[in-house]
Amino acid sequence: MTEWGDIVVYTLGGALLMMMAAGIALSALLPALDRWSKRYFITLFSLLLLYVIAMFADAIIYKDPKMAAVENVIYITEYLFFSVLTLMPILLLLHRCSESIKNSVLFRTVVALWIIFLLIMVFAQFTDFIYYTEENNRYYRGPGYVLLLIPLIVIIILNIAAVFRRHKKLSKKYFIGLLVYLFTMTVAVVMHMLIAVDMMVVFGIALCALTMFGFIISDNMEQYMRQQREIAHQRSSVMVLQMRPHFIYNTMMGIYYLCDQDPAKAKQVTLDFTSYLRKNFTAIASEEMIPFNDELEHTRAYLAVEQAQFEDSLFVSFDTPHTMFRVPPLTLQPIVENAVKHGMNESCDPIHISVVTRQTDLSSEIIVNDDGPGFKPTDDDEPHIALNNIRQRLELMCGGTLEVAPREGGGTSVKVTIPIPDK
């Protein structure tokens, strides 16, 4: 390689190292990517990074006759990295189309072709037919070199065909991103068959990997922004439901009469009501998950105000040994308020409400039971709307669920499940 050739190789290699490092960092840090996509792109850019490092090592030692054995190991490494890169698009495609990788005939076919490639690589180590390295550390292609690349070309063609076949299941940006990556890889393999331009080939593939990443980030960012807008809308809906004018009016009038009848109690109710309002406004403004203890304090403040007005009709018990988890703001308090609003009736007996938390292997659970009259899940009323708002925010913010069921013996049971995040 000439001096200018060395300069080009090292310049491209340095640019590639920075590009791949940036890709890994963006994949890990961007909030728009889901957990699976983060792992996928970190793996993809890490493979490309290792591929570039192998090529750097190749460029450094290829002139040293004493390093022939090491050079051969580097060649094997480069081919293996390149072959694995041809498998990556199919994983992304099947995931985006919600198809099982284990049960996919396409994936099994691609893996079978990859195994054939590996067998040819093993065969190449015992013959000069595919490629060989002379004692002076010079690399040469044998007459059967094309055989080594045929399985990879077939894998890429199957990838392209699969993308076109499933284009209706893909968003436009995923479709374009995958095709850009695959067509570039096709050109790279064809060029590699004809001339030895390894670093340029890697540069093209890496650039298109970043292009695909950009398309997919854009698509995920749009979905992320839609989710954030939906969360904001749900939070506003909950705010409207939470700040009921008649509740505020009744509380203020209750404090007014208590000032003469029981000043100490009036002061306590005022303090509880202030705490409730402060927690309410804080929860409404929050855009992130909050500690469950904060939500529990909010709920206790609300119940303290209600119990001051209905001390002989409202009884609440707490069994919450598990509190070390996070929930979307305004999760528990509105559920308890629903139970109070729907259960408090002058013609009914006193209502008993229990709040229970527990931890399983996969999730944290909150269970709110009441012995009120109950309500049908299809009721088109305020409690039903409030619970739907909570359910949607749980799904959007943490993948949680909310289940409503009649309670044995009368009343209603509401269970919230919060998945334990992966560490």
Side-chain angles (χ1 to χ4, degrees), residues 143-385:
Y145 181 76
V146 174
L147 292 177
L148 182 65
L149 299 182
I150 287 177
L152 301 183
I153 293 173
V154 177
I155 288 175
I156 296 170
I157 292 172
L158 287 175
N159 272 303
I160 294 173
V163 170
F164 276 107
R165 184 180 177 184
R166 293 165 174 78
H167 72 278
K168 292 183 179 179
K169 296 182 180 181
L170 297 169
S171 68
K172 184 178 180 180
K173 291 183 178 179
Y174 266 90
F175 178 69
I176 294 173
L178 281 167
L179 286 184
V180 166
Y181 181 80
L182 288 167
F183 278 124
T184 303
M185 184 168 280
T186 303
V187 173
V189 173
V190 172
M191 289 179 61
H192 193 71
M193 290 174 64
L194 301 176
I195 53 176
V197 285
D198 293 352
M199 188 59 77
M200 292 296 293
V201 168
V202 180
F203 185 80
I205 293 174
L207 191 60
C208 286
L210 285 173
T211 303
M212 178 180 70
F213 183 62
F215 276 112
I216 291 171
I217 281 293
S218 174
D219 188 72
N220 278 268
M221 189 63 74
E222 290 176 4
Q223 294 181 23
Y224 179 74
M225 294 306 296
R226 284 196 296 269
Q227 287 182 348
Q228 293 305 306
R229 287 194 294 269
E230 182 66 22
I231 290 171
H233 171 72
Q234 294 299 331
R235 190 165 56 247
S236 298
S237 299
V238 172
M239 178 179 66
V240 172
L241 292 172
Q242 286 297 104
M243 300 309 296
R244 294 173 294 125
H246 71 272
F247 171 67
I248 298 174
Y249 172 78
N250 289 341
T251 302
M252 297 304 294
M253 289 304 298
I255 293 172
Y256 173 79
Y257 288 114
L258 282 172
C259 286
D260 290 331
Q261 300 171 5
D262 191 341
K265 189 173 182 179
K267 290 174 64 178
Q268 183 59 49
V269 174
T270 302
L271 185 63
D272 292 332
F273 187 54
T274 302
S275 177
Y276 162 77
L277 291 176
R278 178 173 55 82
K279 292 285 186 183
N280 222 46
F281 290 132
T282 301
I284 289 167
S286 176
E287 297 181 358
E288 305 292 338
M289 303 273 282
I290 64 172
F292 175 72
N293 272 327
D294 289 357
E295 187 71 10
L296 192 59
E297 289 178 17
H298 187 189
T299 304
R300 290 182 183 275
Y302 161 75
L303 288 169
V305 174
E306 291 283 29
Q307 286 178 310
Q309 301 179 66
F310 307 104
E311 57 184 349
D312 297 326
S313 303
L314 175 60
F315 301 92
V316 184
S317 64
F318 290 89
D319 180 13
T320 56
H322 175 50
T323 59
M324 299 300 292
F325 61 99
R326 302 178 77 87
V327 296
L330 293 173
T331 297
L332 174 61
Q333 192 274 328
I335 293 174
V336 172
E337 184 170 347
N338 252 350
V340 173
K341 287 190 297 182
H342 214 68
M344 295 299 295
N345 191 311
E346 292 182 359
S347 61
C348 293
D349 295 331
I351 182 172
H352 297 78
I353 298 174
S354 67
V355 178
V356 179
T357 62
R358 63 190 182 195
Q359 182 178 17
T360 68
D361 292 339
L362 300 176
S363 63
S364 299
E365 294 180 350
I366 308 168
I367 302 168
V368 179
N369 293 320
D370 70 72
D371 59 358
F375 69 96
K376 298 178 181 178
T378 55
D379 285 348
D380 188 17
D381 56 8
E382 189 174 306
H384 186 223
I385 294 171

Side-chain angles (χ1 to χ4, degrees), residues 1-11 59-60 62-63 138 196:
M1 189 181 294
T2 65
E3 182 178 348
W4 280 104
D6 288 339
I7 293 173
V8 171
V9 166
Y10 292 134
T11 301
I60 292 170
Y62 86 101
K63 294 180 181 179
R138 295 296 181 180

Side-chain angles (χ1 to χ4, degrees), residues 25-70:
L26 286 172
S27 301
L29 299 176
L30 280 176
L33 284 177
D34 58 72
R35 187 179 296 110
W36 190 94
S37 297
K38 283 180 183 289
R39 291 174 179 172
Y40 175 85
F41 281 107
I42 289 173
T43 302
L44 176 64
F45 290 127
S46 296
L47 285 170
L48 282 164
L49 182 66
L50 293 172
Y51 194 2
V52 175
I53 292 172
M55 289 212 163
F56 255 125
D58 184 8
I60 292 170
I61 70 171
Y62 86 101
K63 294 180 181 179
D64 188 349
K66 298 178 180 179
M67 302 295 289
V70 177

